[in-house]
Amino acid sequence: MWRSESGQGVIDFAAEALKNRTLPFARKASETAAARSEREAEDWYELACELEAATPDQAQNAYVRALELDPDHAGARVNLGRLLHEGGHPLAAANHYRLALETRPDDPIAAFNLGVALEDLDLTTEAIAAYELALAADPSAADAHYNLAGLYEKEGQAAAAIRHLKAYRKLTQSR
């Protein structure tokens, strides 16, 4: 349409008129949503990583959103677990670390963090197993050696404690 007296065109912005024009775009978006969910999970994960330092609560929510879109996102599981652990919830953290290890069994960070959470829960035997798993994935994990030395000493296994303390010293002196 146009106005004859001014020569200007007129655009109809009524929502009803636009509905049929936008419907094909909405259909296409919904059809590709499943294909995009993995990318969207990664986007939420990256956002959460950025939010951690300033707003950990918002970061937690973003990690949860990433996991809703991709329950196997190991990075989101590990980071959410760490935030939960830091917030005083080691059991919830341990559950996330275990789920991360189901997806990535050789993840030394998930295994190490699981060991710390289990140690905080006074589950010494399980913590030792988690630290050993961390070392199997990354033999240069000095902190795992250190924590194992303390747990083995607590368990009265002096030889194992000394072995891990020596490994820890060797790894930290070469840095």
mmCIF file of all heavy atoms in Angstrom, residues 50-97:
data_model
loop_
_atom_site.group_PDB
_atom_site.id
_atom_site.type_symbol
_atom_site.label_atom_id
_atom_site.label_comp_id
_atom_site.label_asym_id
_atom_site.label_seq_id
_atom_site.Cartn_x
_atom_site.Cartn_y
_atom_site.Cartn_z
ATOM 1 N N GLU A 50 32.504 -18.645 32.204
ATOM 2 C CA GLU A 50 32.740 -17.203 32.305
ATOM 3 C C GLU A 50 32.126 -16.610 33.577
ATOM 4 O O GLU A 50 32.656 -15.665 34.140
ATOM 5 C CB GLU A 50 32.181 -16.492 31.077
ATOM 6 C CG GLU A 50 32.928 -16.816 29.797
ATOM 7 C CD GLU A 50 32.262 -16.225 28.564
ATOM 8 O OE1 GLU A 50 31.422 -15.314 28.710
ATOM 9 O OE2 GLU A 50 32.587 -16.685 27.464
ATOM 10 N N LEU A 51 31.004 -17.175 34.017
ATOM 11 C CA LEU A 51 30.291 -16.630 35.176
ATOM 12 C C LEU A 51 30.880 -17.053 36.520
ATOM 13 O O LEU A 51 30.609 -16.410 37.535
ATOM 14 C CB LEU A 51 28.821 -17.078 35.139
ATOM 15 C CG LEU A 51 27.949 -16.510 34.034
ATOM 16 C CD1 LEU A 51 26.601 -17.217 34.014
ATOM 17 C CD2 LEU A 51 27.761 -15.010 34.225
ATOM 18 N N GLU A 52 31.657 -18.114 36.529
ATOM 19 C CA GLU A 52 32.115 -18.705 37.797
ATOM 20 C C GLU A 52 32.762 -17.724 38.757
ATOM 21 O O GLU A 52 32.437 -17.699 39.934
ATOM 22 C CB GLU A 52 33.076 -19.865 37.527
ATOM 23 C CG GLU A 52 32.369 -21.154 37.328
ATOM 24 C CD GLU A 52 33.308 -22.332 37.423
ATOM 25 O OE1 GLU A 52 34.238 -22.304 38.249
ATOM 26 O OE2 GLU A 52 33.096 -23.274 36.660
ATOM 27 N N ALA A 53 33.694 -16.929 38.282
ATOM 28 C CA ALA A 53 34.449 -16.049 39.182
ATOM 29 C C ALA A 53 33.563 -14.983 39.817
ATOM 30 O O ALA A 53 33.663 -14.721 41.016
ATOM 31 C CB ALA A 53 35.595 -15.392 38.430
ATOM 32 N N ALA A 54 32.666 -14.394 39.040
ATOM 33 C CA ALA A 54 31.863 -13.285 39.543
ATOM 34 C C ALA A 54 30.554 -13.730 40.179
ATOM 35 O O ALA A 54 30.149 -13.188 41.211
ATOM 36 C CB ALA A 54 31.572 -12.299 38.409
ATOM 37 N N THR A 55 29.889 -14.710 39.579
ATOM 38 C CA THR A 55 28.566 -15.114 40.068
ATOM 39 C C THR A 55 28.436 -16.633 40.032
ATOM 40 O O THR A 55 27.848 -17.199 39.115
ATOM 41 C CB THR A 55 27.448 -14.469 39.217
ATOM 42 O OG1 THR A 55 27.664 -14.811 37.854
ATOM 43 C CG2 THR A 55 27.416 -12.964 39.360
ATOM 44 N N PRO A 56 28.975 -17.310 41.048
ATOM 45 C CA PRO A 56 28.942 -18.772 41.056
ATOM 46 C C PRO A 56 27.533 -19.362 41.036
ATOM 47 O O PRO A 56 27.320 -20.428 40.467
ATOM 48 C CB PRO A 56 29.678 -19.169 42.329
ATOM 49 C CG PRO A 56 30.126 -17.921 42.983
ATOM 50 C CD PRO A 56 29.690 -16.759 42.179
ATOM 51 N N ASP A 57 26.564 -18.678 41.630
ATOM 52 C CA ASP A 57 25.190 -19.194 41.611
ATOM 53 C C ASP A 57 24.641 -19.224 40.187
ATOM 54 O O ASP A 57 23.993 -20.191 39.781
ATOM 55 C CB ASP A 57 24.273 -18.357 42.502
ATOM 56 C CG ASP A 57 24.558 -18.553 43.980
ATOM 57 O OD1 ASP A 57 25.201 -19.563 44.328
ATOM 58 O OD2 ASP A 57 24.130 -17.698 44.777
ATOM 59 N N GLN A 58 24.904 -18.170 39.445
ATOM 60 C CA GLN A 58 24.461 -18.141 38.055
ATOM 61 C C GLN A 58 25.226 -19.165 37.227
ATOM 62 O O GLN A 58 24.666 -19.773 36.310
ATOM 63 C CB GLN A 58 24.624 -16.744 37.462
ATOM 64 C CG GLN A 58 23.636 -15.743 38.015
ATOM 65 C CD GLN A 58 23.808 -14.364 37.407
ATOM 66 O OE1 GLN A 58 24.581 -14.166 36.480
ATOM 67 N NE2 GLN A 58 23.086 -13.392 37.947
ATOM 68 N N ALA A 59 26.486 -19.364 37.554
ATOM 69 C CA ALA A 59 27.277 -20.383 36.846
ATOM 70 C C ALA A 59 26.676 -21.762 37.095
ATOM 71 O O ALA A 59 26.543 -22.568 36.160
ATOM 72 C CB ALA A 59 28.728 -20.338 37.307
ATOM 73 N N GLN A 60 26.293 -22.038 38.343
ATOM 74 C CA GLN A 60 25.656 -23.322 38.659
ATOM 75 C C GLN A 60 24.413 -23.525 37.806
ATOM 76 O O GLN A 60 24.196 -24.593 37.245
ATOM 77 C CB GLN A 60 25.250 -23.370 40.138
ATOM 78 C CG GLN A 60 26.229 -24.083 41.003
ATOM 79 C CD GLN A 60 25.710 -24.212 42.425
ATOM 80 O OE1 GLN A 60 25.898 -23.323 43.225
ATOM 81 N NE2 GLN A 60 25.080 -25.318 42.722
ATOM 82 N N ASN A 61 23.587 -22.490 37.709
ATOM 83 C CA ASN A 61 22.372 -22.589 36.900
ATOM 84 C C ASN A 61 22.690 -22.844 35.431
ATOM 85 O O ASN A 61 21.990 -23.617 34.771
ATOM 86 C CB ASN A 61 21.532 -21.312 37.044
ATOM 87 C CG ASN A 61 20.965 -21.139 38.432
ATOM 88 O OD1 ASN A 61 20.811 -22.105 39.175
ATOM 89 N ND2 ASN A 61 20.662 -19.910 38.807
ATOM 90 N N ALA A 62 23.735 -22.221 34.940
ATOM 91 C CA ALA A 62 24.114 -22.428 33.541
ATOM 92 C C ALA A 62 24.636 -23.850 33.322
ATOM 93 O O ALA A 62 24.351 -24.468 32.286
ATOM 94 C CB ALA A 62 25.160 -21.394 33.118
ATOM 95 N N TYR A 63 25.389 -24.381 34.288
ATOM 96 C CA TYR A 63 25.843 -25.775 34.167
ATOM 97 C C TYR A 63 24.650 -26.733 34.178
ATOM 98 O O TYR A 63 24.618 -27.700 33.420
ATOM 99 C CB TYR A 63 26.813 -26.144 35.292
ATOM 100 C CG TYR A 63 28.187 -25.552 35.142
ATOM 101 C CD1 TYR A 63 28.797 -24.878 36.192
ATOM 102 C CD2 TYR A 63 28.902 -25.686 33.952
ATOM 103 C CE1 TYR A 63 30.060 -24.340 36.065
ATOM 104 C CE2 TYR A 63 30.158 -25.140 33.814
ATOM 105 C CZ TYR A 63 30.736 -24.471 34.876
ATOM 106 O OH TYR A 63 31.992 -23.940 34.743
ATOM 107 N N VAL A 64 23.684 -26.458 35.039
ATOM 108 C CA VAL A 64 22.479 -27.296 35.090
ATOM 109 C C VAL A 64 21.775 -27.254 33.747
ATOM 110 O O VAL A 64 21.335 -28.286 33.223
ATOM 111 C CB VAL A 64 21.550 -26.853 36.241
ATOM 112 C CG1 VAL A 64 20.180 -27.496 36.127
ATOM 113 C CG2 VAL A 64 22.181 -27.177 37.584
ATOM 114 N N ARG A 65 21.671 -26.085 33.154
ATOM 115 C CA ARG A 65 21.012 -25.948 31.838
ATOM 116 C C ARG A 65 21.782 -26.733 30.782
ATOM 117 O O ARG A 65 21.178 -27.415 29.947
ATOM 118 C CB ARG A 65 20.914 -24.466 31.462
ATOM 119 C CG ARG A 65 20.201 -24.235 30.157
ATOM 120 C CD ARG A 65 18.720 -24.583 30.268
ATOM 121 N NE ARG A 65 18.109 -24.366 28.989
ATOM 122 C CZ ARG A 65 17.413 -25.284 28.319
ATOM 123 N NH1 ARG A 65 17.207 -26.464 28.839
ATOM 124 N NH2 ARG A 65 16.909 -25.016 27.154
ATOM 125 N N ALA A 66 23.100 -26.663 30.816
ATOM 126 C CA ALA A 66 23.912 -27.436 29.861
ATOM 127 C C ALA A 66 23.642 -28.921 30.027
ATOM 128 O O ALA A 66 23.524 -29.655 29.033
ATOM 129 C CB ALA A 66 25.396 -27.134 30.059
ATOM 130 N N LEU A 67 23.531 -29.370 31.265
ATOM 131 C CA LEU A 67 23.295 -30.795 31.524
ATOM 132 C C LEU A 67 21.873 -31.223 31.168
ATOM 133 O O LEU A 67 21.648 -32.382 30.816
ATOM 134 C CB LEU A 67 23.603 -31.123 32.984
ATOM 135 C CG LEU A 67 25.088 -31.043 33.325
ATOM 136 C CD1 LEU A 67 25.305 -31.112 34.824
ATOM 137 C CD2 LEU A 67 25.861 -32.129 32.605
ATOM 138 N N GLU A 68 20.932 -30.306 31.236
ATOM 139 C CA GLU A 68 19.576 -30.627 30.772
ATOM 140 C C GLU A 68 19.586 -30.902 29.274
ATOM 141 O O GLU A 68 18.874 -31.770 28.793
ATOM 142 C CB GLU A 68 18.612 -29.481 31.089
ATOM 143 C CG GLU A 68 18.280 -29.355 32.561
ATOM 144 C CD GLU A 68 17.518 -28.078 32.893
ATOM 145 O OE1 GLU A 68 17.369 -27.192 31.999
ATOM 146 O OE2 GLU A 68 17.076 -27.945 34.044
ATOM 147 N N LEU A 69 20.414 -30.160 28.560
ATOM 148 C CA LEU A 69 20.503 -30.321 27.102
ATOM 149 C C LEU A 69 21.392 -31.496 26.712
ATOM 150 O O LEU A 69 21.160 -32.139 25.693
ATOM 151 C CB LEU A 69 21.028 -29.030 26.463
ATOM 152 C CG LEU A 69 20.086 -27.838 26.560
ATOM 153 C CD1 LEU A 69 20.812 -26.548 26.233
ATOM 154 C CD2 LEU A 69 18.882 -28.031 25.653
ATOM 155 N N ASP A 70 22.434 -31.750 27.520
ATOM 156 C CA ASP A 70 23.360 -32.846 27.229
ATOM 157 C C ASP A 70 23.818 -33.465 28.548
ATOM 158 O O ASP A 70 24.809 -33.032 29.130
ATOM 159 C CB ASP A 70 24.566 -32.340 26.432
ATOM 160 C CG ASP A 70 25.562 -33.436 26.104
ATOM 161 O OD1 ASP A 70 25.280 -34.624 26.377
ATOM 162 O OD2 ASP A 70 26.640 -33.111 25.561
ATOM 163 N N PRO A 71 23.090 -34.481 29.032
ATOM 164 C CA PRO A 71 23.430 -35.089 30.324
ATOM 165 C C PRO A 71 24.824 -35.729 30.357
ATOM 166 O O PRO A 71 25.344 -35.998 31.439
ATOM 167 C CB PRO A 71 22.349 -36.160 30.503
ATOM 168 C CG PRO A 71 21.246 -35.773 29.588
ATOM 169 C CD PRO A 71 21.883 -35.047 28.443
ATOM 170 N N ASP A 72 25.429 -35.970 29.205
ATOM 171 C CA ASP A 72 26.761 -36.581 29.150
ATOM 172 C C ASP A 72 27.888 -35.556 29.050
ATOM 173 O O ASP A 72 29.027 -35.922 28.769
ATOM 174 C CB ASP A 72 26.838 -37.543 27.964
ATOM 175 C CG ASP A 72 25.950 -38.749 28.144
ATOM 176 O OD1 ASP A 72 25.708 -39.139 29.299
ATOM 177 O OD2 ASP A 72 25.492 -39.298 27.129
ATOM 178 N N HIS A 73 27.600 -34.284 29.264
ATOM 179 C CA HIS A 73 28.631 -33.243 29.165
ATOM 180 C C HIS A 73 29.519 -33.328 30.403
ATOM 181 O O HIS A 73 29.198 -32.786 31.469
ATOM 182 C CB HIS A 73 27.990 -31.867 29.041
ATOM 183 C CG HIS A 73 28.922 -30.817 28.550
ATOM 184 N ND1 HIS A 73 30.022 -30.410 29.259
ATOM 185 C CD2 HIS A 73 28.928 -30.107 27.397
ATOM 186 C CE1 HIS A 73 30.656 -29.478 28.577
ATOM 187 N NE2 HIS A 73 30.017 -29.278 27.439
ATOM 188 N N ALA A 74 30.631 -34.024 30.271
ATOM 189 C CA ALA A 74 31.510 -34.290 31.423
ATOM 190 C C ALA A 74 32.092 -33.012 32.013
ATOM 191 O O ALA A 74 32.220 -32.887 33.236
ATOM 192 C CB ALA A 74 32.622 -35.256 31.018
ATOM 193 N N GLY A 75 32.446 -32.069 31.173
ATOM 194 C CA GLY A 75 33.004 -30.815 31.684
ATOM 195 C C GLY A 75 32.032 -30.074 32.576
ATOM 196 O O GLY A 75 32.403 -29.559 33.636
ATOM 197 N N ALA A 76 30.776 -30.036 32.166
ATOM 198 C CA ALA A 76 29.751 -29.383 32.988
ATOM 199 C C ALA A 76 29.552 -30.143 34.293
ATOM 200 O O ALA A 76 29.377 -29.537 35.358
ATOM 201 C CB ALA A 76 28.437 -29.283 32.215
ATOM 202 N N ARG A 77 29.613 -31.472 34.233
ATOM 203 C CA ARG A 77 29.467 -32.284 35.453
ATOM 204 C C ARG A 77 30.593 -31.985 36.440
ATOM 205 O O ARG A 77 30.360 -31.810 37.629
ATOM 206 C CB ARG A 77 29.473 -33.770 35.110
ATOM 207 C CG ARG A 77 28.248 -34.220 34.400
ATOM 208 C CD ARG A 77 27.384 -35.082 35.300
ATOM 209 N NE ARG A 77 26.198 -35.455 34.572
ATOM 210 C CZ ARG A 77 24.971 -35.137 34.962
ATOM 211 N NH1 ARG A 77 24.783 -34.486 36.079
ATOM 212 N NH2 ARG A 77 23.933 -35.504 34.241
ATOM 213 N N VAL A 78 31.829 -31.958 35.942
ATOM 214 C CA VAL A 78 32.983 -31.725 36.818
ATOM 215 C C VAL A 78 32.912 -30.333 37.439
ATOM 216 O O VAL A 78 33.085 -30.171 38.652
ATOM 217 C CB VAL A 78 34.307 -31.924 36.048
ATOM 218 C CG1 VAL A 78 35.497 -31.443 36.860
ATOM 219 C CG2 VAL A 78 34.478 -33.386 35.655
ATOM 220 N N ASN A 79 32.622 -29.335 36.625
ATOM 221 C CA ASN A 79 32.598 -27.969 37.144
ATOM 222 C C ASN A 79 31.427 -27.736 38.098
ATOM 223 O O ASN A 79 31.576 -27.059 39.114
ATOM 224 C CB ASN A 79 32.570 -26.967 35.997
ATOM 225 C CG ASN A 79 33.891 -26.902 35.259
ATOM 226 O OD1 ASN A 79 34.828 -27.628 35.572
ATOM 227 N ND2 ASN A 79 33.975 -26.045 34.267
ATOM 228 N N LEU A 80 30.273 -28.308 37.771
ATOM 229 C CA LEU A 80 29.135 -28.194 38.683
ATOM 230 C C LEU A 80 29.448 -28.914 39.991
ATOM 231 O O LEU A 80 29.165 -28.398 41.077
ATOM 232 C CB LEU A 80 27.865 -28.765 38.045
ATOM 233 C CG LEU A 80 26.611 -28.745 38.919
ATOM 234 C CD1 LEU A 80 26.279 -27.335 39.395
ATOM 235 C CD2 LEU A 80 25.440 -29.366 38.167
ATOM 236 N N GLY A 81 30.072 -30.069 39.894
ATOM 237 C CA GLY A 81 30.471 -30.794 41.095
ATOM 238 C C GLY A 81 31.401 -29.970 41.969
ATOM 239 O O GLY A 81 31.243 -29.918 43.196
ATOM 240 N N ARG A 82 32.359 -29.309 41.343
ATOM 241 C CA ARG A 82 33.294 -28.485 42.109
ATOM 242 C C ARG A 82 32.571 -27.338 42.811
ATOM 243 O O ARG A 82 32.824 -27.053 43.987
ATOM 244 C CB ARG A 82 34.388 -27.936 41.196
ATOM 245 C CG ARG A 82 35.447 -27.145 41.937
ATOM 246 C CD ARG A 82 36.552 -26.641 41.027
ATOM 247 N NE ARG A 82 36.122 -26.270 39.698
ATOM 248 C CZ ARG A 82 35.457 -25.142 39.400
ATOM 249 N NH1 ARG A 82 35.126 -24.304 40.346
ATOM 250 N NH2 ARG A 82 35.117 -24.883 38.155
ATOM 251 N N LEU A 83 31.652 -26.689 42.100
ATOM 252 C CA LEU A 83 30.900 -25.601 42.733
ATOM 253 C C LEU A 83 30.041 -26.109 43.890
ATOM 254 O O LEU A 83 29.940 -25.457 44.931
ATOM 255 C CB LEU A 83 30.023 -24.890 41.698
ATOM 256 C CG LEU A 83 30.755 -24.024 40.678
ATOM 257 C CD1 LEU A 83 29.771 -23.469 39.653
ATOM 258 C CD2 LEU A 83 31.517 -22.901 41.356
ATOM 259 N N LEU A 84 29.429 -27.271 43.709
ATOM 260 C CA LEU A 84 28.631 -27.859 44.786
ATOM 261 C C LEU A 84 29.513 -28.210 45.985
ATOM 262 O O LEU A 84 29.137 -27.963 47.135
ATOM 263 C CB LEU A 84 27.891 -29.098 44.283
ATOM 264 C CG LEU A 84 26.737 -28.831 43.316
ATOM 265 C CD1 LEU A 84 26.285 -30.121 42.660
ATOM 266 C CD2 LEU A 84 25.587 -28.145 44.039
ATOM 267 N N HIS A 85 30.680 -28.768 45.696
ATOM 268 C CA HIS A 85 31.606 -29.138 46.769
ATOM 269 C C HIS A 85 32.055 -27.892 47.526
ATOM 270 O O HIS A 85 32.050 -27.870 48.765
ATOM 271 C CB HIS A 85 32.795 -29.883 46.176
ATOM 272 C CG HIS A 85 33.606 -30.598 47.194
ATOM 273 N ND1 HIS A 85 34.678 -31.372 46.854
ATOM 274 C CD2 HIS A 85 33.540 -30.664 48.546
ATOM 275 C CE1 HIS A 85 35.217 -31.889 47.938
ATOM 276 N NE2 HIS A 85 34.545 -31.465 48.977
ATOM 277 N N GLU A 86 32.424 -26.864 46.791
ATOM 278 C CA GLU A 86 32.841 -25.613 47.429
ATOM 279 C C GLU A 86 31.705 -25.007 48.239
ATOM 280 O O GLU A 86 31.947 -24.320 49.229
ATOM 281 C CB GLU A 86 33.322 -24.608 46.376
ATOM 282 C CG GLU A 86 34.647 -24.975 45.758
ATOM 283 C CD GLU A 86 35.026 -24.088 44.580
ATOM 284 O OE1 GLU A 86 34.223 -23.209 44.178
ATOM 285 O OE2 GLU A 86 36.127 -24.279 44.032
ATOM 286 N N GLY A 87 30.464 -25.278 47.834
ATOM 287 C CA GLY A 87 29.304 -24.780 48.553
ATOM 288 C C GLY A 87 28.896 -25.652 49.726
ATOM 289 O O GLY A 87 27.859 -25.421 50.343
ATOM 290 N N GLY A 88 29.689 -26.669 50.038
ATOM 291 C CA GLY A 88 29.414 -27.507 51.203
ATOM 292 C C GLY A 88 28.564 -28.735 50.930
ATOM 293 O O GLY A 88 27.964 -29.272 51.845
ATOM 294 N N HIS A 89 28.529 -29.185 49.682
ATOM 295 C CA HIS A 89 27.717 -30.346 49.307
ATOM 296 C C HIS A 89 28.582 -31.432 48.658
ATOM 297 O O HIS A 89 28.455 -31.699 47.461
ATOM 298 C CB HIS A 89 26.590 -29.922 48.365
ATOM 299 C CG HIS A 89 25.745 -28.820 48.905
ATOM 300 N ND1 HIS A 89 24.810 -29.024 49.892
ATOM 301 C CD2 HIS A 89 25.718 -27.494 48.620
ATOM 302 C CE1 HIS A 89 24.230 -27.872 50.181
ATOM 303 N NE2 HIS A 89 24.768 -26.926 49.428
ATOM 304 N N PRO A 90 29.469 -32.064 49.445
ATOM 305 C CA PRO A 90 30.380 -33.043 48.847
ATOM 306 C C PRO A 90 29.680 -34.282 48.277
ATOM 307 O O PRO A 90 30.164 -34.852 47.299
ATOM 308 C CB PRO A 90 31.323 -33.416 49.993
ATOM 309 C CG PRO A 90 30.583 -33.057 51.234
ATOM 310 C CD PRO A 90 29.697 -31.904 50.878
ATOM 311 N N LEU A 91 28.571 -34.689 48.846
ATOM 312 C CA LEU A 91 27.866 -35.862 48.320
ATOM 313 C C LEU A 91 27.293 -35.576 46.933
ATOM 314 O O LEU A 91 27.440 -36.387 46.010
ATOM 315 C CB LEU A 91 26.763 -36.310 49.278
ATOM 316 C CG LEU A 91 25.985 -37.561 48.852
ATOM 317 C CD1 LEU A 91 26.918 -38.759 48.686
ATOM 318 C CD2 LEU A 91 24.896 -37.876 49.871
ATOM 319 N N ALA A 92 26.658 -34.434 46.780
ATOM 320 C CA ALA A 92 26.132 -34.053 45.466
ATOM 321 C C ALA A 92 27.273 -33.910 44.462
ATOM 322 O O ALA A 92 27.153 -34.332 43.303
ATOM 323 C CB ALA A 92 25.338 -32.751 45.561
ATOM 324 N N ALA A 93 28.382 -33.350 44.920
ATOM 325 C CA ALA A 93 29.550 -33.207 44.051
ATOM 326 C C ALA A 93 30.059 -34.571 43.608
ATOM 327 O O ALA A 93 30.333 -34.791 42.418
ATOM 328 C CB ALA A 93 30.647 -32.437 44.779
ATOM 329 N N ALA A 94 30.176 -35.486 44.552
ATOM 330 C CA ALA A 94 30.664 -36.835 44.229
ATOM 331 C C ALA A 94 29.783 -37.501 43.183
ATOM 332 O O ALA A 94 30.285 -38.178 42.273
ATOM 333 C CB ALA A 94 30.732 -37.693 45.495
ATOM 334 N N ASN A 95 28.479 -37.299 43.292
ATOM 335 C CA ASN A 95 27.571 -37.886 42.306
ATOM 336 C C ASN A 95 27.840 -37.336 40.910
ATOM 337 O O ASN A 95 27.817 -38.083 39.924
ATOM 338 C CB ASN A 95 26.116 -37.654 42.710
ATOM 339 C CG ASN A 95 25.740 -38.466 43.926
ATOM 340 O OD1 ASN A 95 26.322 -39.512 44.193
ATOM 341 N ND2 ASN A 95 24.776 -37.978 44.687
ATOM 342 N N HIS A 96 28.109 -36.042 40.812
ATOM 343 C CA HIS A 96 28.413 -35.457 39.500
ATOM 344 C C HIS A 96 29.759 -35.969 38.971
ATOM 345 O O HIS A 96 29.894 -36.234 37.771
ATOM 346 C CB HIS A 96 28.397 -33.928 39.568
ATOM 347 C CG HIS A 96 27.017 -33.366 39.524
ATOM 348 N ND1 HIS A 96 26.253 -33.345 38.384
ATOM 349 C CD2 HIS A 96 26.246 -32.825 40.499
ATOM 350 C CE1 HIS A 96 25.077 -32.807 38.644
ATOM 351 N NE2 HIS A 96 25.054 -32.488 39.936
ATOM 352 N N TYR A 97 30.740 -36.115 39.849
ATOM 353 C CA TYR A 97 32.036 -36.636 39.406
ATOM 354 C C TYR A 97 31.894 -38.066 38.894
ATOM 355 O O TYR A 97 32.494 -38.435 37.884
ATOM 356 C CB TYR A 97 33.064 -36.587 40.536
ATOM 357 C CG TYR A 97 33.343 -35.197 41.062
ATOM 358 C CD1 TYR A 97 33.546 -34.977 42.422
ATOM 359 C CD2 TYR A 97 33.411 -34.093 40.218
ATOM 360 C CE1 TYR A 97 33.805 -33.714 42.921
ATOM 361 C CE2 TYR A 97 33.666 -32.824 40.707
ATOM 362 C CZ TYR A 97 33.861 -32.639 42.058
ATOM 363 O OH TYR A 97 34.124 -31.381 42.538
#
